[in-house]
């Protein structure tokens, strides 16, 4: 079946970097854009950016430009999201999500909890 | 971009209808037909309920309907059921490959 499986929870210190993976299966990986969305504890959803698995072009929300990098590995149908210079405010669940229709996300990963704490 | 504006809470009794609003600007909700709605249950990933303003994905009950007028989109849940309880988020395309979400509405079935 179509699914996105993300890597496990991470605990990082302020100033460190984190890299979260999202492995796709059950569909043609290069046919659908992949987005990243985060959700701080008790808060709403926040769009972070998008990557085109066919070619690797990216677009990031202005808030994350310079601090987030999204990459792909087509050999393993995996998308990665790396965030640097982590702050306590980056503590959140990070989701990857497949874009099925323009700017609508039909398949979501299970989420990866990233905790930034000294 | 600023988040879209949703009421923090909404409620209704089983069988009733409830409508959740989502207000943006002429640069996002008002400019494009790409408004989506998501349902999220505690500890779970969001689920797509509506795309392109009013389209339902396969498997979403027709009790869920949506529309848009100007800069405001709306989601209506008719015939409320206990399993409809959860958080609902709207989202909109905002140009230049950007997407913006609403702050979320907690729907309570009384």
């Amino acid at each position: 079946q179509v699914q996105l499986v993300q890597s496990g929870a991470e605990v990082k210190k302020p100033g460190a970097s984190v890299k979260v993976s999202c492995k796709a299966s059950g569909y043609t990986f290069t046919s659908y854009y992949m987005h990243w969305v985060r959700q701080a504890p008790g808060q709403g959803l926040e769009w972070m950016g998008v990557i085109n698995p066919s070619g690797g072009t990216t677009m990031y929300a202005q808030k994350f430009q310079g601090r987030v990098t999204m990459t792909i590995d087509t050999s393993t149908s995996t998308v990665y999201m790396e965030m640097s210079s982590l702050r306590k405010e980056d503590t959140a669940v990070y989701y990857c999500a497949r874009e099925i229709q323009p700017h609508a996300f039909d398949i979501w990963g299970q989420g990866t909890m990233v905790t930034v704490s000294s | 971009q600023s988040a879209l504006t949703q009421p923090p809470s909404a409620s209704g009794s089983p069988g009733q209808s409830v409508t959740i609003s989502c207000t943006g600007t002429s640069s996002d909700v008002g400019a494009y037909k790409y408004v989506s709605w998501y349902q999220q249950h505690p500890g779970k990933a969001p689920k797509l309920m509506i795309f392109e303003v009013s389209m339902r994905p396969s498997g979403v009950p027709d009790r869920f309907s949506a529309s848009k007028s100007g800069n405001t989109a709306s989601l209506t849940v008719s015939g409320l059921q206990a399993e409809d309880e959860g958080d609902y988020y709207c989202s909109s395309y905002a140009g230049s490959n950007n997407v913006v979400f609403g702050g979320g509405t907690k729907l309570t079935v009384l």
Side-chain angles (χ1 to χ4, degrees):
Chain A
Q1 73 279 25
V2 177
Q3 62 177 354
L4 301 173
V5 178
Q6 298 183 221
S7 49
E10 303 264 12
V11 179
K12 297 291 183 181
K13 294 190 182 303
S17 297
V18 69
K19 191 170 186 177
V20 179
S21 68
C22 169
K23 182 175 175 58
S25 62
Y27 70 96
T28 303
F29 175 67
T30 53
S31 294
Y32 300 89
Y33 286 21
M34 196 75 79
H35 295 249
W36 288 89
V37 176
R38 75 176 185 179
Q39 185 171 36
Q43 303 300 310
L45 302 172
E46 182 176 30
W47 182 78
M48 300 178 66
V50 57
I51 185 166
N52 179 357
S54 178
T57 55
T58 55
M59 179 68 69
Y60 306 125
Q62 188 172 9
K63 175 178 180 176
F64 299 105
Q65 285 179 7
R67 212 159 62 90
V68 165
T69 303
M70 297 177 188
T71 55
I72 56 171
D73 181 347
T74 53
S75 68
T76 59
S77 299
T78 302
V79 175
Y80 297 92
M81 187 285 298
E82 183 170 21
M83 180 178 285
S84 61
S85 303
L86 287 169
R87 309 185 266 260
K88 292 181 180 180
E89 311 85 82
D90 295 318
T91 294
V93 175
Y94 288 76
Y95 293 102
C96 57
R98 185 183 80 163
E99 179 178 318
I100 186 63
Q101 298 287 347
H103 320 297
F105 315 136
D106 69 328
I107 304 295
W108 294 64
Q110 82 276 20
T112 297
M113 181 71 211
V114 175
T115 302
V116 183
S117 173
S118 53
Chain B
Q1 291 85 6
S2 299
L4 307 177
T5 300
Q6 297 181 235
S9 63
S11 63
S13 299
Q16 289 187 331
S17 295
V18 65
T19 297
I20 299 170
S21 63
C22 168
T23 301
T25 70
S26 57
S27 296
D28 39 60
V29 174
Y32 305 99
K33 66 175 183 177
Y34 301 121
V35 176
S36 301
W37 289 89
Y38 300 88
Q39 175 192 67
Q40 187 179 36
H41 290 132
K44 300 295 186 181
K47 174 186 177 183
L48 179 64
M49 305 300 285
I50 297 285
F51 65 93
E52 288 185 15
V53 175
S54 60
M55 304 298 292
R56 274 179 289 105
S58 174
V60 173
D62 59 7
R63 302 184 294 103
F64 291 85
S65 62
S67 62
K68 187 187 81 162
S69 177
N71 297 337
T72 298
S74 299
L75 172 73
T76 298
V77 186
S78 305
L80 271 174
Q81 299 182 5
E83 59 263 34
D84 298 334
E85 190 163 286
D87 295 324
Y88 289 80
Y89 294 91
C90 62
S91 73
S92 175
Y93 181 57
S96 301
N97 270 319
N98 283 275
V99 174
V100 61
F101 282 95
T105 298
K106 183 177 181 62
L107 174 60
T108 301
V109 180
L110 302 170

